[in-house]
mmCIF file of all heavy atoms in Angstrom:
data_model
loop_
_atom_site.group_PDB
_atom_site.id
_atom_site.type_symbol
_atom_site.label_atom_id
_atom_site.label_comp_id
_atom_site.label_asym_id
_atom_site.label_seq_id
_atom_site.Cartn_x
_atom_site.Cartn_y
_atom_site.Cartn_z
ATOM 1 N N TYR V 789 158.634 -5.016 -5.785
ATOM 2 C CA TYR V 789 159.038 -6.221 -6.473
ATOM 3 C C TYR V 789 160.561 -6.493 -6.361
ATOM 4 O O TYR V 789 160.981 -7.577 -6.144
ATOM 5 C CB TYR V 789 158.603 -6.217 -7.955
ATOM 6 C CG TYR V 789 158.826 -7.522 -8.642
ATOM 7 C CD1 TYR V 789 158.147 -8.664 -8.233
ATOM 8 C CD2 TYR V 789 159.784 -7.656 -9.671
ATOM 9 C CE1 TYR V 789 158.383 -9.885 -8.856
ATOM 10 C CE2 TYR V 789 160.019 -8.891 -10.278
ATOM 11 C CZ TYR V 789 159.287 -10.003 -9.854
ATOM 12 O OH TYR V 789 159.547 -11.224 -10.440
ATOM 13 N N LEU V 790 161.273 -5.363 -6.508
ATOM 14 C CA LEU V 790 162.729 -5.502 -6.438
ATOM 15 C C LEU V 790 163.249 -5.731 -5.001
ATOM 16 O O LEU V 790 164.333 -6.277 -4.789
ATOM 17 C CB LEU V 790 163.411 -4.284 -7.088
ATOM 18 C CG LEU V 790 163.191 -4.135 -8.603
ATOM 19 C CD1 LEU V 790 163.788 -2.849 -9.099
ATOM 20 C CD2 LEU V 790 163.756 -5.347 -9.333
ATOM 21 N N GLU V 791 162.437 -5.304 -4.013
ATOM 22 C CA GLU V 791 162.812 -5.522 -2.611
ATOM 23 C C GLU V 791 162.455 -6.861 -2.123
ATOM 24 O O GLU V 791 163.091 -7.380 -1.165
ATOM 25 C CB GLU V 791 162.073 -4.496 -1.734
ATOM 26 C CG GLU V 791 162.652 -3.108 -1.676
ATOM 27 C CD GLU V 791 161.666 -2.117 -1.034
ATOM 28 O OE1 GLU V 791 160.707 -2.575 -0.392
ATOM 29 O OE2 GLU V 791 161.880 -0.914 -1.205
ATOM 30 N N ARG V 792 161.396 -7.467 -2.674
ATOM 31 C CA ARG V 792 160.885 -8.743 -2.174
ATOM 32 C C ARG V 792 161.942 -9.801 -2.226
ATOM 33 O O ARG V 792 162.787 -9.867 -3.155
ATOM 34 C CB ARG V 792 159.657 -9.108 -2.986
ATOM 35 C CG ARG V 792 158.656 -9.961 -2.235
ATOM 36 C CD ARG V 792 157.344 -10.073 -3.078
ATOM 37 N NE ARG V 792 156.664 -8.783 -3.254
ATOM 38 C CZ ARG V 792 155.955 -8.497 -4.336
ATOM 39 N NH1 ARG V 792 155.855 -9.304 -5.372
ATOM 40 N NH2 ARG V 792 155.339 -7.304 -4.410
ATOM 41 N N ASP V 793 161.942 -10.730 -1.241
ATOM 42 C CA ASP V 793 162.900 -11.790 -1.182
ATOM 43 C C ASP V 793 162.489 -12.859 -2.166
ATOM 44 O O ASP V 793 161.549 -13.658 -1.922
ATOM 45 C CB ASP V 793 162.938 -12.363 0.232
ATOM 46 C CG ASP V 793 163.945 -13.505 0.400
ATOM 47 O OD1 ASP V 793 164.479 -13.952 -0.661
ATOM 48 O OD2 ASP V 793 164.140 -13.975 1.519
ATOM 49 N N PHE V 794 163.178 -12.920 -3.315
ATOM 50 C CA PHE V 794 162.806 -13.838 -4.367
ATOM 51 C C PHE V 794 162.980 -15.266 -3.905
ATOM 52 O O PHE V 794 162.144 -16.128 -4.263
ATOM 53 C CB PHE V 794 163.603 -13.529 -5.639
ATOM 54 C CG PHE V 794 163.296 -14.411 -6.772
ATOM 55 C CD1 PHE V 794 161.999 -14.491 -7.252
ATOM 56 C CD2 PHE V 794 164.278 -15.229 -7.339
ATOM 57 C CE1 PHE V 794 161.670 -15.335 -8.311
ATOM 58 C CE2 PHE V 794 163.957 -16.084 -8.400
ATOM 59 C CZ PHE V 794 162.656 -16.160 -8.889
ATOM 60 N N ASN V 795 164.006 -15.564 -3.156
ATOM 61 C CA ASN V 795 164.223 -16.930 -2.733
ATOM 62 C C ASN V 795 163.086 -17.445 -1.815
ATOM 63 O O ASN V 795 162.724 -18.627 -1.853
ATOM 64 C CB ASN V 795 165.572 -17.090 -2.023
ATOM 65 C CG ASN V 795 166.703 -16.899 -2.993
ATOM 66 O OD1 ASN V 795 166.587 -17.293 -4.132
ATOM 67 N ND2 ASN V 795 167.828 -16.323 -2.535
ATOM 68 N N ALA V 796 162.575 -16.528 -1.022
ATOM 69 C CA ALA V 796 161.430 -16.875 -0.147
ATOM 70 C C ALA V 796 160.201 -17.238 -0.990
ATOM 71 O O ALA V 796 159.465 -18.138 -0.661
ATOM 72 C CB ALA V 796 161.121 -15.767 0.845
ATOM 73 N N GLN V 797 159.999 -16.477 -2.099
ATOM 74 C CA GLN V 797 158.872 -16.750 -2.988
ATOM 75 C C GLN V 797 159.041 -18.165 -3.622
ATOM 76 O O GLN V 797 158.101 -18.905 -3.696
ATOM 77 C CB GLN V 797 158.851 -15.727 -4.122
ATOM 78 C CG GLN V 797 158.146 -14.444 -3.761
ATOM 79 C CD GLN V 797 158.120 -13.516 -4.996
ATOM 80 O OE1 GLN V 797 159.146 -12.988 -5.430
ATOM 81 N NE2 GLN V 797 156.941 -13.379 -5.559
ATOM 82 N N VAL V 798 160.289 -18.426 -4.061
ATOM 83 C CA VAL V 798 160.522 -19.735 -4.709
ATOM 84 C C VAL V 798 160.233 -20.842 -3.685
ATOM 85 O O VAL V 798 159.634 -21.864 -4.015
ATOM 86 C CB VAL V 798 161.965 -19.811 -5.187
ATOM 87 C CG1 VAL V 798 162.319 -21.243 -5.680
ATOM 88 C CG2 VAL V 798 162.221 -18.789 -6.312
ATOM 89 N N LYS V 799 160.671 -20.613 -2.437
ATOM 90 C CA LYS V 799 160.453 -21.569 -1.374
ATOM 91 C C LYS V 799 158.963 -21.840 -1.205
ATOM 92 O O LYS V 799 158.485 -23.009 -1.068
ATOM 93 C CB LYS V 799 161.092 -21.096 -0.118
ATOM 94 C CG LYS V 799 161.554 -22.208 0.816
ATOM 95 C CD LYS V 799 162.551 -21.681 1.832
ATOM 96 C CE LYS V 799 162.293 -22.317 3.179
ATOM 97 N NZ LYS V 799 162.934 -21.579 4.256
ATOM 98 N N ARG V 800 158.218 -20.765 -1.171
ATOM 99 C CA ARG V 800 156.742 -20.886 -0.950
ATOM 100 C C ARG V 800 156.119 -21.673 -2.155
ATOM 101 O O ARG V 800 155.275 -22.548 -1.911
ATOM 102 C CB ARG V 800 156.145 -19.504 -0.809
ATOM 103 C CG ARG V 800 154.694 -19.382 -1.217
ATOM 104 C CD ARG V 800 153.721 -19.389 -0.049
ATOM 105 N NE ARG V 800 152.356 -19.220 -0.525
ATOM 106 C CZ ARG V 800 151.315 -19.984 -0.211
ATOM 107 N NH1 ARG V 800 151.476 -20.979 0.612
ATOM 108 N NH2 ARG V 800 150.124 -19.727 -0.705
ATOM 109 N N TRP V 801 156.522 -21.420 -3.364
ATOM 110 C CA TRP V 801 155.985 -22.149 -4.527
ATOM 111 C C TRP V 801 156.310 -23.638 -4.395
ATOM 112 O O TRP V 801 155.461 -24.500 -4.640
ATOM 113 C CB TRP V 801 156.536 -21.603 -5.850
ATOM 114 C CG TRP V 801 156.140 -20.185 -6.131
ATOM 115 C CD1 TRP V 801 154.997 -19.538 -5.779
ATOM 116 C CD2 TRP V 801 156.932 -19.227 -6.864
ATOM 117 N NE1 TRP V 801 155.032 -18.260 -6.234
ATOM 118 C CE2 TRP V 801 156.190 -18.018 -6.877
ATOM 119 C CE3 TRP V 801 158.200 -19.240 -7.469
ATOM 120 C CZ2 TRP V 801 156.649 -16.857 -7.504
ATOM 121 C CZ3 TRP V 801 158.659 -18.077 -8.102
ATOM 122 C CH2 TRP V 801 157.872 -16.932 -8.092
ATOM 123 N N ASP V 802 157.593 -23.944 -3.993
ATOM 124 C CA ASP V 802 158.004 -25.327 -3.866
ATOM 125 C C ASP V 802 157.158 -26.048 -2.775
ATOM 126 O O ASP V 802 156.743 -27.168 -2.914
ATOM 127 C CB ASP V 802 159.489 -25.411 -3.491
ATOM 128 C CG ASP V 802 160.369 -25.113 -4.692
ATOM 129 O OD1 ASP V 802 159.876 -25.245 -5.828
ATOM 130 O OD2 ASP V 802 161.559 -24.745 -4.496
#
Side-chain angles (χ1 to χ4, degrees):
Y789 187 64
L790 293 175
E791 279 167 15
R792 209 170 294 148
D793 180 353
F794 179 59
N795 290 328
Q797 277 183 288
V798 173
K799 209 163 139 196
R800 154 100 178 128
W801 296 328
D802 286 339

